[in-house]
Amino acid sequence: NDNKFRDAKPRLMLMGLRRSGKSSISSVVFHKMPPNETLFLESTTRIQKDSVHSFMDFQVWDFPGQLELLGPSFDLEEVFGSLGAVVWVIDAQDDYVESVVRLNRTILTIMQYYPNINIEVFIHKVDALADEYRTEVFQDIVQRISDDLSDAGYENAPVHYYLTSIYDYSVFEAFSKVIQKLIPQLPTLENLINILCNNCGFDKCYLFDVLSKIYIASDTRPVDMSCYEMCSDYIDVIVDISELFSWEHPDRKPKGDQMREAESHVVLQNASMIHLMEMNKYLCLVSVIHNPDANEKKGLIDMNCRVFQDALNDIFSRSWDQSTEEQPAEGE
Ligand code: GDP
Protein backbone atom coordinates (compact mmCIF):
# COMPACT_ATOMS: atom_id res chain seq x y z
CA ASN A 1 0.00 0.00 0.00
CA ASP A 2 2.86 2.36 0.76
CA ASN A 3 4.53 1.76 -2.58
CA LYS A 4 1.29 2.28 -4.38
CA PHE A 5 0.89 5.54 -2.61
CA ARG A 6 4.35 6.71 -3.54
CA ASP A 7 3.76 6.13 -7.21
CA ALA A 8 0.57 8.12 -7.16
CA LYS A 9 1.99 11.06 -5.24
CA PRO A 10 2.01 14.45 -6.89
CA ARG A 11 5.55 15.20 -8.08
CA LEU A 12 7.29 18.51 -7.85
CA MET A 13 10.62 19.58 -9.16
CA LEU A 14 12.21 22.76 -7.91
CA MET A 15 14.53 24.40 -10.45
CA GLY A 16 16.31 27.71 -10.83
CA LEU A 17 19.70 29.36 -10.91
CA ARG A 18 22.17 28.84 -8.12
CA ARG A 19 21.47 31.00 -5.05
CA SER A 20 17.91 31.65 -6.13
CA GLY A 21 16.66 30.08 -2.91
CA LYS A 22 15.79 26.47 -3.77
CA SER A 23 17.54 24.81 -0.84
CA SER A 24 16.13 27.42 1.48
CA ILE A 25 12.60 26.77 0.29
CA SER A 26 12.99 23.03 0.60
CA SER A 27 14.57 23.33 4.06
CA VAL A 28 11.93 25.67 5.39
CA VAL A 29 8.95 23.84 3.91
CA PHE A 30 10.03 20.23 4.27
CA HIS A 31 12.54 20.28 7.10
CA LYS A 32 11.16 22.94 9.42
CA MET A 33 14.28 25.04 9.26
CA PRO A 34 13.82 28.57 10.67
CA PRO A 35 14.16 31.01 7.71
CA ASN A 36 17.12 32.89 9.27
CA GLU A 37 19.22 29.75 9.32
CA THR A 38 19.07 29.43 5.54
CA LEU A 39 21.71 32.18 5.41
CA PHE A 40 24.23 29.49 6.24
CA LEU A 41 23.05 26.88 3.76
CA GLU A 42 25.51 25.63 1.23
CA SER A 43 24.29 26.21 -2.26
CA THR A 44 22.90 23.21 -4.11
CA THR A 45 25.44 21.78 -6.49
CA ARG A 46 23.94 18.51 -7.54
CA ILE A 47 20.63 16.84 -8.20
CA GLN A 48 19.03 16.15 -4.91
CA LYS A 49 16.42 13.55 -4.59
CA ASP A 50 14.99 14.98 -1.47
CA SER A 51 13.23 12.06 0.14
CA VAL A 52 10.53 13.65 2.19
CA HIS A 53 7.95 11.65 4.06
CA SER A 54 5.11 13.63 2.78
CA PHE A 55 2.02 13.51 0.65
CA MET A 56 4.10 14.67 -2.31
CA ASP A 57 7.33 13.68 -4.02
CA PHE A 58 9.81 16.43 -4.16
CA GLN A 59 13.14 17.05 -5.90
CA VAL A 60 15.49 20.00 -6.04
CA TRP A 61 17.59 20.75 -9.10
CA ASP A 62 20.19 23.38 -9.63
CA PHE A 63 20.04 24.88 -13.06
CA PRO A 64 22.34 25.09 -14.84
CA GLY A 65 24.24 22.52 -12.89
CA GLN A 66 26.42 19.71 -14.10
CA LEU A 67 23.79 18.98 -16.66
CA GLU A 68 22.07 20.80 -19.45
CA LEU A 69 18.49 20.00 -20.16
CA LEU A 70 19.13 19.51 -23.85
CA GLY A 71 22.32 17.51 -23.52
CA PRO A 72 22.43 14.08 -25.14
CA SER A 73 23.11 12.31 -21.85
CA PHE A 74 19.90 13.57 -20.54
CA ASP A 75 16.83 11.43 -20.55
CA LEU A 76 13.82 13.71 -20.62
CA GLU A 77 11.42 10.87 -20.03
CA GLU A 78 13.15 9.94 -16.81
CA VAL A 79 12.84 13.48 -15.57
CA PHE A 80 9.51 14.67 -16.83
CA GLY A 81 7.73 11.48 -17.77
CA SER A 82 5.74 11.18 -14.58
CA LEU A 83 6.22 14.63 -13.21
CA GLY A 84 3.48 16.89 -12.03
CA ALA A 85 4.93 20.37 -11.95
CA VAL A 86 8.14 22.25 -12.40
CA VAL A 87 8.58 25.05 -9.90
CA TRP A 88 11.07 27.58 -11.24
CA VAL A 89 12.54 29.88 -8.60
CA ILE A 90 13.62 33.40 -9.67
CA ASP A 91 15.56 35.60 -7.26
CA ALA A 92 13.62 38.86 -7.50
CA GLN A 93 16.32 40.77 -5.63
CA ASP A 94 18.89 39.94 -8.21
CA ASP A 95 19.19 40.67 -11.91
CA TYR A 96 16.67 38.14 -13.16
CA VAL A 97 17.22 38.42 -16.91
CA GLU A 98 19.39 35.32 -17.18
CA SER A 99 17.02 33.27 -15.13
CA VAL A 100 14.10 34.33 -17.30
CA VAL A 101 16.00 33.45 -20.47
CA ARG A 102 16.82 29.99 -19.15
CA LEU A 103 13.32 29.49 -17.91
CA ASN A 104 11.93 30.32 -21.35
CA ARG A 105 14.25 27.84 -22.99
CA THR A 106 13.24 25.20 -20.47
CA ILE A 107 9.54 25.85 -20.94
CA LEU A 108 9.84 25.52 -24.70
CA THR A 109 11.66 22.22 -24.35
CA ILE A 110 9.20 20.83 -21.85
CA MET A 111 6.15 21.98 -23.79
CA GLN A 112 7.36 20.24 -26.90
CA TYR A 113 7.36 16.84 -25.25
CA TYR A 114 5.22 17.15 -22.15
CA PRO A 115 2.56 19.79 -22.78
CA ASN A 116 0.64 18.81 -19.67
CA ILE A 117 3.26 19.68 -17.11
CA ASN A 118 2.44 22.76 -15.09
CA ILE A 119 5.11 25.43 -15.02
CA GLU A 120 4.97 27.33 -11.75
CA VAL A 121 7.16 30.40 -11.40
CA PHE A 122 8.09 31.54 -7.89
CA ILE A 123 9.18 35.15 -7.99
CA HIS A 124 11.11 34.72 -4.80
CA LYS A 125 12.71 36.75 -1.95
CA VAL A 126 10.10 39.48 -2.38
CA ASP A 127 10.27 40.23 1.35
CA ALA A 128 13.16 42.53 0.56
CA LEU A 129 11.30 44.52 -2.10
CA ALA A 130 9.08 47.53 -1.46
CA ASP A 131 5.42 46.96 -2.30
CA GLU A 132 5.33 49.10 -5.45
CA TYR A 133 8.49 47.55 -6.71
CA ARG A 134 7.10 44.05 -6.15
CA THR A 135 4.26 44.65 -8.58
CA GLU A 136 6.65 46.14 -11.09
CA VAL A 137 9.03 43.16 -10.95
CA PHE A 138 6.10 40.76 -11.15
CA GLN A 139 4.65 42.41 -14.23
CA ASP A 140 8.00 42.68 -15.92
CA ILE A 141 8.76 38.99 -15.45
CA VAL A 142 5.31 37.88 -16.58
CA GLN A 143 5.61 40.13 -19.63
CA ARG A 144 9.04 38.85 -20.64
CA ILE A 145 7.98 35.25 -20.37
CA SER A 146 4.64 35.55 -22.13
CA ASP A 147 6.16 37.65 -24.95
CA ASP A 148 8.74 35.00 -25.53
CA LEU A 149 6.24 32.20 -25.45
CA SER A 150 3.82 33.85 -27.82
CA ASP A 151 6.70 34.56 -30.23
CA ALA A 152 7.28 30.81 -30.18
CA GLY A 153 3.61 30.18 -30.91
CA TYR A 154 2.37 29.32 -27.44
CA GLU A 155 -0.48 31.64 -26.56
CA ASN A 156 -1.90 29.95 -23.50
CA ALA A 157 1.03 28.10 -22.02
CA PRO A 158 0.27 26.60 -18.59
CA VAL A 159 2.56 29.01 -16.74
CA HIS A 160 1.55 30.52 -13.40
CA TYR A 161 3.26 33.08 -11.20
CA TYR A 162 3.52 33.57 -7.44
CA LEU A 163 5.25 36.12 -5.24
CA THR A 164 7.04 34.16 -2.53
CA SER A 165 9.29 34.52 0.48
CA ILE A 166 10.46 32.09 3.13
CA TYR A 167 9.98 34.79 5.77
CA ASP A 168 6.19 34.56 5.68
CA TYR A 169 3.51 32.06 4.67
CA SER A 170 3.53 33.02 1.00
CA VAL A 171 5.73 30.11 0.01
CA PHE A 172 3.38 27.64 1.75
CA GLU A 173 0.38 29.25 0.13
CA ALA A 174 2.04 29.07 -3.29
CA PHE A 175 2.94 25.40 -2.83
CA SER A 176 -0.61 24.70 -1.75
CA LYS A 177 -1.95 26.09 -5.00
CA VAL A 178 0.66 24.20 -7.00
CA ILE A 179 -0.18 20.90 -5.31
CA GLN A 180 -3.91 21.35 -5.58
CA LYS A 181 -3.67 21.49 -9.35
CA LEU A 182 -2.07 18.05 -9.29
CA ILE A 183 -4.81 16.37 -7.31
CA PRO A 184 -7.45 15.03 -9.67
CA GLN A 185 -9.77 14.37 -6.71
CA LEU A 186 -9.75 18.04 -5.66
CA PRO A 187 -13.37 18.85 -6.59
CA THR A 188 -14.58 15.77 -4.70
CA LEU A 189 -12.47 16.67 -1.69
CA GLU A 190 -13.70 20.26 -1.70
CA ASN A 191 -17.24 19.07 -1.94
CA LEU A 192 -16.81 16.75 1.02
CA ILE A 193 -15.11 19.45 3.08
CA ASN A 194 -17.92 21.88 2.29
CA ILE A 195 -20.45 19.35 3.53
CA LEU A 196 -18.38 18.71 6.63
CA CYS A 197 -18.20 22.46 7.33
CA ASN A 198 -21.96 22.78 7.05
CA ASN A 199 -22.61 19.83 9.33
CA CYS A 200 -20.14 20.90 12.00
CA GLY A 201 -20.52 24.67 11.80
CA PHE A 202 -16.85 25.10 10.82
CA ASP A 203 -15.94 28.54 9.56
CA LYS A 204 -12.90 27.25 7.76
CA CYS A 205 -11.39 23.82 7.30
CA TYR A 206 -8.06 22.75 5.81
CA LEU A 207 -6.73 19.36 4.86
CA PHE A 208 -3.01 19.63 5.57
CA ASP A 209 0.03 17.62 4.63
CA VAL A 210 1.34 17.34 8.19
CA LEU A 211 5.03 17.40 7.43
CA SER A 212 5.13 20.38 5.08
CA LYS A 213 2.02 22.20 6.29
CA ILE A 214 0.97 22.66 2.72
CA TYR A 215 -2.79 22.32 2.43
CA ILE A 216 -3.99 20.04 -0.28
CA ALA A 217 -7.64 21.07 -0.08
CA SER A 218 -9.96 23.31 1.90
CA ASP A 219 -13.58 24.35 1.88
CA THR A 220 -14.36 26.74 -0.93
CA ARG A 221 -14.95 29.82 1.21
CA PRO A 222 -12.33 32.52 0.69
CA VAL A 223 -8.93 31.82 2.25
CA ASP A 224 -8.14 34.01 5.19
CA MET A 225 -4.39 34.20 5.71
CA SER A 226 -4.49 34.70 9.46
CA CYS A 227 -6.77 31.71 9.83
CA TYR A 228 -4.44 29.61 7.71
CA GLU A 229 -1.49 30.70 9.85
CA MET A 230 -3.32 29.84 13.03
CA CYS A 231 -4.22 26.35 11.77
CA SER A 232 -0.75 25.74 10.46
CA ASP A 233 0.85 26.83 13.75
CA TYR A 234 -1.51 24.59 15.65
CA ILE A 235 -0.14 21.55 13.81
CA ASP A 236 3.33 22.45 15.08
CA VAL A 237 2.05 22.80 18.60
CA ILE A 238 0.44 19.39 18.48
CA VAL A 239 3.36 17.65 16.81
CA ASP A 240 5.99 19.32 18.95
CA ILE A 241 4.63 19.20 22.45
CA SER A 242 3.23 15.72 22.53
CA GLU A 243 4.70 13.73 19.64
CA LEU A 244 1.40 11.97 19.78
CA PHE A 245 1.25 11.21 16.11
CA SER A 246 1.52 7.51 16.28
CA TRP A 247 1.84 6.37 12.66
CA GLU A 248 5.08 4.67 11.89
CA HIS A 249 7.18 7.49 10.73
CA PRO A 250 10.96 7.88 10.77
CA ASP A 251 10.84 11.49 11.95
CA ARG A 252 8.11 11.15 14.52
CA LYS A 253 8.43 8.43 17.08
CA PRO A 254 5.44 7.71 19.29
CA LYS A 255 5.94 7.35 23.00
CA GLY A 256 4.01 4.36 24.30
CA ASP A 257 0.61 3.02 23.33
CA GLN A 258 -1.68 5.48 21.68
CA MET A 259 -4.67 5.91 19.49
CA ARG A 260 -3.81 5.55 15.85
CA GLU A 261 -5.15 8.96 14.93
CA ALA A 262 -4.46 12.04 16.97
CA GLU A 263 -7.35 14.32 17.81
CA SER A 264 -7.07 17.60 19.61
CA HIS A 265 -8.90 20.85 20.09
CA VAL A 266 -8.37 24.12 21.86
CA VAL A 267 -10.73 26.99 22.73
CA LEU A 268 -9.15 30.38 22.18
CA GLN A 269 -9.64 33.59 24.12
CA ASN A 270 -12.08 34.95 21.58
CA ALA A 271 -14.22 31.82 22.04
CA SER A 272 -13.15 30.32 18.74
CA MET A 273 -12.20 26.69 18.70
CA ILE A 274 -9.51 25.00 16.62
CA HIS A 275 -10.10 21.34 16.00
CA LEU A 276 -7.48 18.98 14.62
CA MET A 277 -7.82 15.39 13.60
CA GLU A 278 -5.28 13.16 11.92
CA MET A 279 -6.66 11.47 8.82
CA ASN A 280 -3.90 9.10 7.72
CA LYS A 281 -0.14 8.84 7.68
CA TYR A 282 0.30 12.11 5.80
CA LEU A 283 -2.80 14.20 6.18
CA CYS A 284 -4.64 15.95 8.97
CA LEU A 285 -7.77 18.03 9.10
CA VAL A 286 -7.69 21.36 10.93
CA SER A 287 -10.84 23.43 11.38
CA VAL A 288 -11.82 26.72 12.96
CA ILE A 289 -15.17 27.44 14.56
CA HIS A 290 -16.14 30.91 15.73
CA ASN A 291 -18.87 29.84 18.10
CA PRO A 292 -18.73 29.96 21.89
CA ASP A 293 -20.87 26.82 22.13
CA ALA A 294 -18.69 24.76 19.82
CA ASN A 295 -17.20 22.81 22.71
CA GLU A 296 -20.58 21.30 23.46
CA LYS A 297 -20.83 19.95 19.93
CA LYS A 298 -17.51 18.12 20.17
CA GLY A 299 -19.05 14.68 19.95
CA LEU A 300 -20.93 15.54 16.80
CA ILE A 301 -17.86 17.19 15.29
CA ASP A 302 -15.67 14.17 16.00
CA MET A 303 -18.22 11.84 14.51
CA ASN A 304 -18.56 13.89 11.33
CA CYS A 305 -14.78 14.07 10.98
CA ARG A 306 -14.56 10.29 11.23
CA VAL A 307 -17.11 9.96 8.45
CA PHE A 308 -15.03 12.36 6.38
CA GLN A 309 -11.91 10.35 7.17
CA ASP A 310 -13.48 7.17 5.81
CA ALA A 311 -14.56 8.93 2.64
CA LEU A 312 -11.13 10.50 2.20
CA ASN A 313 -9.22 7.28 2.58
CA ASP A 314 -11.65 5.59 0.26
CA ILE A 315 -11.05 8.22 -2.44
CA PHE A 316 -7.29 7.92 -2.21
CA SER A 317 -7.14 4.15 -2.03
CA ARG A 318 -9.19 3.98 -5.21
CA SER A 319 -6.92 6.39 -7.05
CA TRP A 320 -3.78 4.56 -5.90
CA ASP A 321 -5.15 1.34 -7.31
CA GLN A 322 -5.90 2.97 -10.64
CA SER A 323 -2.73 4.95 -11.05
CA THR A 324 -0.38 2.11 -10.13
CA GLU A 325 -1.76 -0.01 -12.91
CA GLU A 326 -0.56 2.34 -15.57
CA GLN A 327 2.60 3.65 -13.96
CA PRO A 328 5.91 1.83 -14.20
CA ALA A 329 7.77 1.21 -10.95
CA GLU A 330 10.21 3.86 -9.94
CA GLY A 331 13.86 3.02 -10.39
CA GLU A 332 15.05 4.62 -7.18
P1 GDP B 1 19.97 27.65 -3.97
O1 GDP B 1 21.36 27.67 -4.48
O2 GDP B 1 18.98 27.95 -5.05
O3 GDP B 1 19.63 26.41 -3.23
O4 GDP B 1 19.85 28.90 -2.96
P2 GDP B 1 19.90 28.90 -1.37
O5 GDP B 1 18.73 28.20 -0.81
O6 GDP B 1 21.25 28.46 -0.93
O7 GDP B 1 19.65 30.45 -1.02
C1 GDP B 1 20.59 31.46 -1.30
C2 GDP B 1 20.42 32.60 -0.33
O8 GDP B 1 19.14 33.20 -0.48
C3 GDP B 1 20.52 32.18 1.14
O9 GDP B 1 21.40 33.08 1.78
C4 GDP B 1 19.11 32.36 1.68
O10 GDP B 1 19.10 32.77 3.04
C5 GDP B 1 18.54 33.44 0.78
N1 GDP B 1 17.08 33.34 0.66
C6 GDP B 1 16.36 32.25 0.30
N2 GDP B 1 15.05 32.52 0.29
C7 GDP B 1 14.91 33.81 0.68
C8 GDP B 1 13.76 34.70 0.86
O11 GDP B 1 12.59 34.34 0.69
N3 GDP B 1 14.04 35.99 1.24
C9 GDP B 1 15.32 36.43 1.44
N4 GDP B 1 15.48 37.70 1.82
N5 GDP B 1 16.39 35.62 1.29
C10 GDP B 1 16.21 34.34 0.91
Side-chain angles (χ1 to χ4, degrees):
N1 190 310
D2 220 41
N3 278 340
K4 278 188 189 174
F5 189 73
R6 202 183 60 200
D7 290 339
K9 279 181 178 184
R11 299 220 170 156
L12 291 182
M13 184 185 292
L14 207 58
M15 295 175 112
L17 297 189
R18 209 160 281 168
R19 305 297 291 164
S20 57
K22 301 176 298 298
S23 324
S24 307
I25 293 175
S26 115
S27 306
V28 169
V29 174
F30 292 100
H31 303 288
K32 299 206 185 298
M33 182 182 277
N36 294 326
E37 286 177 24
T38 62
L39 290 168
F40 313 110
L41 272 178
E42 298 209 0
S43 194
T44 39
T45 48
R46 63 197 163 83
I47 302 176
Q48 290 178 354
K49 292 216 166 183
D50 205 347
S51 60
V52 291
H53 302 278
S54 159
F55 178 77
M56 59 213 86
D57 244 21
F58 186 77
Q59 298 185 17
V60 181
W61 281 44
D62 222 21
F63 200 87
Q66 295 91 331
L67 42 98
E68 270 291 334
L69 194 56
L70 300 163
S73 62
F74 204 79
D75 185 354
L76 282 172
E77 182 66 29
E78 148 87 22
V79 183
F80 296 113
S82 56
L83 197 76
V86 168
V87 176
W88 188 281
V89 183
I90 297 181
D91 182 346
Q93 286 180 358
D94 201 17
D95 176 15
Y96 47 75
V97 174
E98 192 198 341
S99 181
V100 167
V101 168
R102 289 200 182 262
L103 168 59
N104 274 332
R105 235 187 284 161
T106 309
I107 297 176
L108 292 178
T109 310
I110 296 175
M111 299 272 288
Q112 227 174 322
Y113 300 99
Y114 304 99
N116 296 324
I117 287 179
N118 296 334
I119 315 280
E120 314 283 6
V121 182
F122 284 14
I123 300 171
H124 190 57
K125 307 194 193 177
V126 290
D127 52 279
L129 302 183
D131 276 351
E132 325 82 71
Y133 194 52
R134 253 178 230 195
T135 327
E136 207 175 291
V137 168
F138 185 89
Q139 282 167 351
D140 186 45
I141 291 177
V142 173
Q143 195 63 48
R144 283 166 187 269
I145 295 172
S146 49
D147 282 355
D148 230 51
L149 288 177
S150 66
D151 285 351
Y154 294 102
E155 284 303 337
N156 291 310
V159 187
H160 303 94
Y161 305 87
Y162 310 82
L163 289 165
T164 58
S165 160
I166 52 170
Y167 287 97
D168 56 36
Y169 286 83
S170 56
V171 73
F172 293 91
E173 177 73 16
F175 265 122
S176 299
K177 292 194 177 134
V178 167
I179 281 295
Q180 289 178 18
K181 284 188 226 158
L182 302 179
I183 302 176
Q185 308 89 342
L186 185 68
T188 316
L189 287 178
E190 286 180 340
N191 230 333
L192 285 172
I193 297 177
N194 278 339
I195 295 170
L196 182 70
C197 281
N198 285 340
N199 290 346
C200 298
F202 291 157
D203 289 278
K204 193 72 202 165
C205 180
Y206 294 99
L207 185 58
F208 276 100
D209 175 44
V210 178
L211 184 96
S212 62
K213 296 189 294 168
I214 289 167
Y215 68 96
I216 69 154
S218 77
D219 62 289
T220 47
R221 270 169 280 198
V223 171
D224 162 359
M225 221 39 199
S226 63
C227 176
Y228 168 75
E229 290 171 20
M230 188 165 73
C231 291
S232 141
D233 289 344
Y234 191 58
I235 296 180
D236 277 346
V237 172
I238 299 306
V239 174
D240 288 351
I241 61 171
S242 58
E243 301 204 57
L244 43 62
F245 286 68
S246 56
W247 297 87
E248 276 175 49
H249 192 293
D251 302 338
R252 298 190 263 129
K253 290 274 178 280
K255 300 200 166 64
D257 285 346
Q258 290 158 67
M259 265 170 60
R260 232 161 106 81
E261 292 97 6
E263 183 280 321
S264 160
H265 70 284
V266 63
V267 178
L268 305 174
Q269 254 173 359
N270 62 0
S272 301
M273 182 168 103
I274 309 183
H275 180 269
L276 176 151
M277 192 182 278
E278 207 179 13
M279 294 283 114
N280 60 35
K281 191 169 175 176
Y282 299 111
L283 302 176
C284 87
L285 190 73
V286 188
S287 320
V288 176
I289 315 161
H290 302 301
N291 178 351
D293 303 325
N295 218 357
E296 285 151 34
K297 294 203 296 176
K298 259 284 281 135
L300 179 74
I301 290 172
D302 283 351
M303 190 196 76
N304 278 311
C305 289
R306 292 271 171 244
V307 173
F308 174 80
Q309 178 184 29
D310 289 342
L312 175 78
N313 289 324
D314 195 37
I315 291 172
F316 280 119
S317 66
R318 264 170 225 232
S319 69
W320 301 340
D321 289 345
Q322 279 164 14
S323 63
T324 44
E325 272 159 28
E326 60 208 34
Q327 277 196 352
E330 201 181 2
E332 225 336 69

